Amino acid sequence: MLPFVRPTIEQEDLDAIAEVLRSGWIASGPRCRALEDALADYLGGGARVRMLNSGTSALEAAVLAAGIGPGDEVIVPAMTFVASAQAVLRAGATPVLVDVDLDSRNLTAAAVEEAITRRTRAVMPVHFAGLPVDMDAIAAVAQHHGLRIIEDAAHAIGARYRGRPIGAAGDLVCFSFHPNKNITTIEGGALVCFDDATAAHVERLRFHGIERDADGGMDVGEWGGKMNLADVNAALGLAQLPRLDRFNARRRALAELYLRTLPAHPCLAPPCAGEGHSWHIFAVRIDFARLGTTRAAFQRHLQGHDIATGMHYPAVHTFSLFRQRGYRPEDCPNARTIGEQTLTLPLFPAMTDSDVERVCTALGAVIAEFEHER
Ligand SMILES: *Cc1c(COP(=O)(O)O)cnc(C)c1O
């Protein structure tokens, strides 16, 4: 069975973890700080990096660090992992879900502009699948309306926008290092900001609001959570980071092979390619209804060919949490269509070219099976 995702764990990863476990210091400490420095070096620019225990925690800390709370609105694309919108809810603020472009699956400046109200405080672009959002356009709108920008870059570590890594510039940028992402710390995330005061605020938010003075005394002046990353996890990140560009180059080569090899069929839409793409996932759209089937049945047939697939993602506004808040399925039609038609094909650095060819052949065969049945 070919899985749709598999983290690349090699001997150096095992050695790095064993070394920390033997060192006597396994919770947050020197490895975390070293990973923050290594990520800041990788990103370049003025990035200040703070590790957190998940990408979700990074988003939650970013919303809080931006001073967003009850009564405030944050514009979030309806096509993303639900964590993006939930981070806004966690701060007591209101996520305003907007539609995305059908092809890129990304937020557009026009959709942001249309959703702005007196209460809008921030916008949360998501670089979907690793394809960079048109950030210049988003930044122009944000600047004009005085909005903060919280980038959900969970898919985009190593992606590049106008020649620079995502996270080299911006306002608040959040990465995830979940095992499905392009490098992993098992669970883990990072928040990137561009000034020391915000970095210090994030340090307090991630650990009980604690502030330490030069003499080792401490004070607690605000709420803080328990969102720090353990050194065992950071050691894995430190071992993975030097291989990130190699992993991503392999992802890109596999994605390009997919794009050349996918069967041409009116029911099958390939994903949008683009400059700087980190190819976190390779998600096609299939018009299952037109083929007279469902995604679940289609996935079962692919499983019969020993191929596992994923679903990234059902549109956020179609979940009951958001239907209760007044959203109707037809509100964000492109996100809804993507949610209904998306299918994530296997993509991870250890895959071979012949794996891609096998997936494409099976995809053609399964489409033909359903066409024949109809
Ligand atoms: C993975 C992911 C997150 C959450 O990251 P975790 O590390 O799993 O908490 C947030 N947003 C998007 C778009 C993601 O893909």
Side-chain angles (χ1 to χ4, degrees):
M1 178 69 75
L2 180 66
F4 75 85
V5 63
R6 188 165 62 208
T8 306
I9 302 294
E10 293 164 313
Q11 189 60 45
E12 55 217 278
D13 300 301
L14 304 178
D15 293 345
I17 288 175
E19 194 187 321
V20 180
L21 286 172
R22 288 196 193 96
S23 75
W25 192 290
I26 61 178
S28 296
R31 295 283 149 180
C32 243
R33 284 192 295 277
L35 181 53
E36 290 172 349
D37 291 346
L39 279 165
D41 277 352
Y42 177 83
L43 297 173
R48 273 85 162 158
V49 180
R50 293 297 178 271
M51 301 308 301
L52 292 115
N53 59 4
S54 70
T56 302
S57 294
L59 289 167
E60 290 178 3
V63 173
L64 293 170
I68 289 163
D72 296 335
E73 293 178 354
V74 178
I75 296 170
V76 179
M79 180 40 56
T80 180
F81 182 48
V82 69
S84 318
Q86 282 174 322
V88 179
L89 290 176
R90 183 70 187 81
T94 303
V96 173
L97 300 171
V98 302
D99 210 3
V100 295
D101 180 74
L102 186 59
D103 195 30
S104 71
R105 308 192 186 195
N106 273 340
L107 188 62
T108 64
V112 172
E113 190 105 54
E114 233 173 82
I116 290 172
T117 72
R118 272 186 307 109
R119 295 172 180 274
T120 309
R121 295 287 314 283
V123 51
M124 188 183 283
V126 179
H127 306 288
F128 198 93
L131 178 67
V133 170
D134 182 359
M135 288 306 295
D136 286 350
I138 300 284
V141 175
Q143 195 170 16
H144 187 247
H145 294 274
L147 308 181
R148 303 294 301 267
I149 302 177
I150 301 167
E151 281 171 72
D152 181 340
H155 297 181
I157 185 74
R160 299 177 84 85
Y161 177 69
R162 297 202 188 286
R164 299 169 80 189
I166 292 290
D171 183 359
L172 295 157
V173 186
C174 301
F175 292 108
S176 165
F177 304 117
H178 180 273
N180 287 1
K181 304 294 159 61
N182 290 25
I183 51 171
T184 188
T185 58
I186 306 177
E187 297 287 358
L191 197 165
V192 180
C193 60
F194 297 88
D195 66 276
D196 293 332
T198 304
H201 192 188
V202 172
E203 287 176 20
R204 298 194 297 276
L205 287 168
R206 76 178 171 186
F207 199 72
H208 308 288
I210 291 172
E211 278 174 88
R212 294 188 192 278
D213 62 30
D215 299 328
M218 75 182 230
D219 187 27
V220 176
E222 66 181 318
W223 175 88
K226 185 72 165 73
M227 304 191 279
N228 56 302
L229 186 75
D231 264 17
V232 175
N233 301 79
L236 180 55
L238 277 165
Q240 295 252 309
L241 183 58
R243 289 174 285 155
L244 171 61
D245 286 344
R246 186 149 50 80
F247 291 167
N248 283 359
R250 183 64 190 146
R251 285 176 175 278
R252 166 172 287 273
L254 290 164
E256 285 169 355
L257 181 57
Y258 263 127
L259 291 171
R260 289 196 302 274
T261 317
L262 279 176
H265 191 280
C267 289
L268 175 69
C272 194
E275 198 61 34
H277 203 313
S278 60
W279 290 107
H280 162 57
I281 53 175
F282 190 92
V284 297
R285 277 194 297 113
I286 296 178
D287 193 340
F288 300 107
R290 205 171 138 193
L291 281 173
T293 185
T294 62
R295 176 165 43 213
F298 198 96
Q299 287 182 296
R300 274 198 302 278
H301 278 234
L302 278 174
Q303 243 172 47
H305 292 262
D306 293 326
I307 292 164
T309 51
M311 174 179 47
H312 302 92
Y313 305 91
V316 174
H317 72 292
T318 64
F319 290 131
S320 38
L321 177 63
F322 294 93
R323 289 208 311 272
Q324 284 156 19
R325 302 173 75 90
Y327 287 94
R328 296 160 308 159
E330 57 271 29
D331 282 339
C332 302
N334 291 340
R336 183 190 187 187
T337 299
I338 294 163
E340 288 171 353
Q341 299 189 341
T342 194
L343 186 72
T344 303
L345 302 182
L347 179 66
F348 51 89
M351 263 174 74
T352 63
D353 288 7
S354 63
D355 288 329
V356 171
E357 281 151 16
R358 185 161 82 76
V359 173
C360 292
T361 304
L363 206 54
V366 171
I367 289 173
E369 282 168 41
F370 282 112
E371 269 193 325
H372 190 70
E373 274 174 29
R374 209 153 50 107

